[in-house]
Every structure is written in C-alpha cells, then in structure tokens.
Amino acid sequence: MLDLFAGDEPWEEPLAGGATILRRFAREEAAALMMEIHGLAQQAPFRHMVTPGGHIMSVAMTNCGSVGWSTNQHGYLYSPRDAQTGQPWPQIPAAFRALSDRASLAAGYPNFEPDACLINRYAPGTKLSLHQDKDEPNLGQPIVSVSLGLPAVFQFGGLQRSDRLKRVMLEHGDVVVWGGASRLFYHGILPLKPGFHPLTDTFRYNLTFRKAS
C-alpha cells in the first residue's frame, strides 16, 4: 500500500472495502499515455456504441488488448476483433501495462493480469450511468481505472442500484482500483462539466483495465 504524502506527491484514499483511490498516481506518465491513446485511435477509432435497447452511448469508446468490450442487439460482450474495422484490437501498450501493474500492486492486488483495456472519451455533458462491471468471467480480478484530463464526479455505491452513493471528484492522474468485496459495486460518472486541460483539450479520457477472458 502507498503511504500518505503531503503536497503534490501521490497518496492513497480509501473508498470502500477492497476499493481505493490512488491520487495523482499516473500524472508523471500522463503525456506518454495520451500519445499511446492517439496512436491506438488511429487503428481502432473512437465510436459511440449502441446498447441492446437501442440507446446511443454518449461516451465515445475504443479498446486495446486481446479482447475488447462492445455491444450488439443481444447484449454486452468481449470480442477479439473490432466489429467496425474487422481487425483484431490493438495490443495493450507496454506503458499501459506498466501503470496497471503498479496501480494494482499499490492497491493490494499483486496478481492482476489484464487482457482488455477500455478507453473512454468524455466530452462536456457526457456521462456514464450507474452500472456493474459483471461481463468478465473471473470476478476475482480487480478493475483498474485511470483518469486523464478534465475532472469528473465519480459515483460509487453498493451491490444494489438503490444503495447509497459516494460521490468523489477524480482529477488528472487519479487511479481507482476496486475488487474483492466491492468488485460488483455500482458506479458511474456524472455529466462532465465544460473545461480545458492542456494535455487533453476539452475532454476527459479514462482507461479501464480488466481481466476479460
């Protein structure tokens, strides 16, 4: 686990049983991460996926890894190929994997082996409704979520959608890791407020690492 530091150094903020926020954990490598994101988007462009109910997701999304998350008329699934291009998803860059390894270890999950990374791009006004990450076959593996760019309000609840929510501001470089007792907790992002960040312009980007196969 991380120690508590003052000033601009990273520190750990407990969120729930099995869940923690690693504040400012990814700031130093943020520029390199954004370069990787732009390169990945050249291979697998961002798109607004359509839910099984026909709703167009406001958040633009792409993937990297041996499998990628997507939707169709039947539900949510992981697939080794990008349905939009017909090509395999790009592999997870070494810089991504190194950050995920460091974060999962710092949060108490030393054996995390992600094979999928969802990349979300938020524009002002976009949100992510409350949901559970439950499409993965191995729920013993945690989720590692990296925030880049504009700040956003993260909602983190419980096992029921109606459970009381914690609302915390996630800023550039913050990493949230959750697993164990909180692995299936409902979570989401409130509508993004307008702003500007020198690295991401008017957007917020989020990397979500998962063990999906």
Side-chain angles (χ1 to χ4, degrees):
M1 293 291 185
L2 292 176
D3 292 327
L4 181 64
F5 293 92
D8 292 331
E9 297 295 329
W11 75 90
E12 180 179 343
E13 181 180 314
L15 183 60
T20 190
I21 304 173
L22 306 174
R23 294 290 188 183
R24 301 176 180 172
F25 193 84
R27 280 196 176 186
E28 289 190 4
E29 56 260 71
L33 298 176
M34 284 306 307
M35 289 184 62
E36 294 284 7
I37 289 172
H38 293 316
L40 292 167
Q42 294 296 315
Q43 303 174 63
F46 282 98
R47 77 291 307 268
H48 294 272
M49 295 188 181
V50 181
T51 69
H55 173 69
I56 299 175
M57 297 178 65
S58 64
V59 176
M61 178 183 293
T62 188
N63 293 275
C64 60
S66 58
V67 293
W69 186 89
S70 61
T71 70
N72 61 26
Q73 66 270 30
H74 302 297
Y76 305 105
L77 70 155
Y78 285 98
S79 172
R81 291 185 176 271
D82 180 353
Q84 181 168 301
T85 66
Q87 298 299 312
W89 295 105
Q91 289 302 299
I92 296 176
F96 282 23
R97 182 59 190 265
L99 173 59
S100 174
D101 288 349
R102 285 200 307 117
S104 58
L105 179 61
Y109 297 98
N111 300 313
F112 183 42
E113 298 181 355
D115 56 8
C117 177
L118 284 63
I119 308 171
N120 290 336
R121 186 182 67 197
Y122 293 78
T126 60
K127 65 179 183 179
L128 194 62
S129 300
L130 285 178
H131 66 284
Q132 296 171 295
D133 291 337
K134 59 181 182 180
D135 300 319
E136 300 77 32
N138 184 356
L139 298 178
Q141 294 277 303
I143 301 290
V144 173
S145 177
V146 182
S147 294
L148 299 170
L150 292 182
V153 177
F154 180 60
Q155 301 187 101
F156 199 71
L159 292 172
Q160 304 298 321
R161 187 183 294 273
S162 58
D163 287 344
R164 184 176 180 179
L165 295 169
K166 292 183 180 178
R167 293 184 173 91
V168 295
M169 182 68 74
L170 296 180
E171 298 182 320
H172 178 63
D174 289 345
V175 179
V176 185
V177 183
W178 68 95
S182 62
R183 176 60 176 77
L184 288 176
F185 277 16
Y186 277 88
H187 57 281
I189 294 288
L190 291 180
L192 190 71
K193 292 184 177 181
F196 175 81
H197 191 279
L199 189 61
T200 65
D201 199 58
T202 58
F203 297 101
R204 171 185 186 259
Y205 290 84
N206 174 246
L207 307 175
T208 303
F209 296 92
R210 306 176 181 185
K211 175 65 175 175
S213 62

